[in-house]
């Protein structure tokens, strides 16, 4: 569906984003979403054909040479960082595809309806729940839940965003979280199976095997399809890193595509800069 807006960096409506992704699915092509922490990443991810871009606060750390998990730590204002990257780097250079804002839904300092209005006015076409507490477990997760910084706050943020005509694509780690998100109108659900393996600053071993990732992805899909069969399903993280990995998951589940941050943005830079520099350094003098 054509974008009724003109110029660079203008937003799509919720339905327009859904329609675009449905065309991709109907064409039997995988949906590919990509994280972008810099303008140059966004520019060339779009040229590569990604269906949408997500601006995460973790992109700033990732592209500064630090692990993406830094985005979950108290190293800055996650919502302010995502908005800054969007305003000054990504939105000015993306020409046509939708750009999604990573929103820390449990931030106690934000009136979320007011903040989402700013996100929409900035030119984002949708939101994603990142940083997300869904990937935190154990005692610390219990403390967050008991002290008012719960996953339910992320669910409420998605409910508000959906009402405000923003496309919503969400991270979940468990079937019950996925159902909660689907029930409040999430348009696309990403099964998060752990921190991405590989590269210079990724984890060295996955929190699950590829078989586990496939099983967890399908379990979440099955749980959500009972309440909303029209949901778009995506996979992310853990051992699902390369195009071959993604193809394997899509071949063995009903997922429609993949969202990559480290696996696209960081891995691409690490590999290309290293090999290009090595090629230059192989030059010998006469």
């Amino acid at each position: 569906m054509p974008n009724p807006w003109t110029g660079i960096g203008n937003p799509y409506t919720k339905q327009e984003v859904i329609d675009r992704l449905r065309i991709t699915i109907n064409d039997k092509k995988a949906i590919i979403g990509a994280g972008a922490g810099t303008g140059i990443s966004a520019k060339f991810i779009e040229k590569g054909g990604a269906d949408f871009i997500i601006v995460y606060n973790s992109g700033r750390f990732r592209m500064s040479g630090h692990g993406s998990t830094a985005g979950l730590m108290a190293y800055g204002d996650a919502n302010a960082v995502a908005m800054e990257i969007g305003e000054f780097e990504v939105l000015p250079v993306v020409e046509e595809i939708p750009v999604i804002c990573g929103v820390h839904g449990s931030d106690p300092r934000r009136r979320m309806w007011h903040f989402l209005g700013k996100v929409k006015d900035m030119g984002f076409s949708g939101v994603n729940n990142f940083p997300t507490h869904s990937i935190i477990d154990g005692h610390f997760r219990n403390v967050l839940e008991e002290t008012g910084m719960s996953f339910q706050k992320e669910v409420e943020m998605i409910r508000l965003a959906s009402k405000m005509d923003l496309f919503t694509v969400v991270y979940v780690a468990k079937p019950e979280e996925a159902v909660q998100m689907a029930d409040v109108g999430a348009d696309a659900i990403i099964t998060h199976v752990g921190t991405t393996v590989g590269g210079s600053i990724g984890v060295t071993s996955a929190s699950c095997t590829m078989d586990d990732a496939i099983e967890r992805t399908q379990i979440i899909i099955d749980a959500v399809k009972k309440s909303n069969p029209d949901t778009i399903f995506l996979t992310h993280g853990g051992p699902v890193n390369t195009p071959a990995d993604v193809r394997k998951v899509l071949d063995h589940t009903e997922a429609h595509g993949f969202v990559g941050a480290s696996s696209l943005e960081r891995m691409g830079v690490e590999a290309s800069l290293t090999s290009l520099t090595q090629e230059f350094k192989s030059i010998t003098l006469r």
Side-chain angles (χ1 to χ4, degrees):
M1 187 170 182
N3 186 354
W5 302 85
T6 58
I8 291 177
N10 285 304
Y12 290 91
T13 66
K14 173 188 178 78
Q15 190 58 51
E16 284 170 343
V17 179
I18 294 170
D19 290 344
R20 289 170 64 95
L21 298 182
R22 284 291 168 197
I23 289 171
T24 300
I25 293 170
N26 292 339
D27 287 344
K28 303 297 183 183
K29 296 179 180 178
I31 292 169
I32 301 298
T38 66
I40 196 165
S41 298
K43 180 180 287 189
F44 289 97
I45 284 169
E46 180 176 32
K47 286 185 181 297
D51 294 286
F52 60 87
I53 285 172
I54 304 180
V55 175
Y56 305 101
N57 77 309
S58 59
R60 171 154 294 172
F61 296 103
R62 180 165 50 247
M63 300 310 288
S64 295
H66 310 296
S68 299
T69 306
L72 298 174
M73 305 300 288
Y75 300 149
D77 183 334
N79 285 321
V81 169
M83 288 287 275
E84 183 180 307
I85 295 171
E87 180 175 12
F88 297 114
E89 297 200 47
V90 174
L91 288 168
V93 301
V94 171
E95 296 183 358
E96 197 271 335
I97 62 175
V99 181
I100 312 302
C101 184
V103 175
H104 194 185
S106 62
D107 186 341
R109 304 162 302 166
R110 295 303 201 283
R111 295 169 296 159
M112 195 48 64
W113 60 270
H114 183 249
F115 180 69
L116 290 176
K118 291 182 177 181
V119 169
K120 189 171 184 178
D121 289 344
M122 184 68 71
F124 288 101
S125 297
V127 299
N128 165 259
N129 61 323
F130 191 89
T132 175
H133 295 178
S134 68
I135 57 176
I136 299 171
D137 57 16
H139 176 69
F140 184 48
R141 174 66 180 271
N142 292 336
V143 170
L144 290 171
E145 295 290 330
E146 292 175 10
T147 54
M149 291 166 279
S150 64
F151 180 75
Q152 188 58 41
K153 290 288 183 68
E154 298 176 33
V155 175
E156 176 63 13
M157 182 272 287
I158 294 300
R159 185 188 70 80
L160 285 171
S162 187
K163 287 180 65 175
M164 296 171 70
D165 200 33
L166 286 159
F167 175 75
T168 53
V169 51
V170 302
Y171 281 124
V172 298
K174 301 175 183 177
E176 54 268 32
E177 295 170 346
V179 171
Q180 283 181 276
M181 286 295 195
D183 286 346
V184 297
D187 301 302
I189 287 178
I190 312 165
T191 300
H192 197 305
V193 296
T195 304
T196 302
V197 174
S200 65
I201 49 177
V203 296
T204 56
S205 59
S207 57
C208 66
T209 66
M210 180 62 75
D211 288 342
D212 291 335
I214 289 170
E215 182 180 12
R216 287 170 60 182
T217 298
Q218 189 59 47
I219 287 172
I220 284 174
I221 292 171
D222 290 339
V224 172
K225 286 180 74 173
K226 294 176 182 177
S227 58
N228 187 0
D230 294 327
T231 306
I232 294 167
F233 297 103
L234 306 168
T235 187
H236 170 87
V240 189
N241 185 5
T242 67
D245 297 332
V246 174
R247 187 174 291 111
K248 185 171 184 179
V249 175
L250 300 189
D251 284 346
H252 292 85
T253 69
E254 295 175 80
H256 302 110
F258 169 72
V259 171
S262 292
S263 52
L264 270 160
E265 184 179 38
R266 174 171 62 81
M267 301 293 193
V269 169
E270 288 184 8
S272 62
L273 285 182
T274 300
S275 61
L276 184 59
T277 304
Q278 288 171 342
E279 187 176 348
F280 274 112
K281 281 298 293 178
S282 69
I283 300 171
T284 58
L285 301 177
R286 291 178 60 186

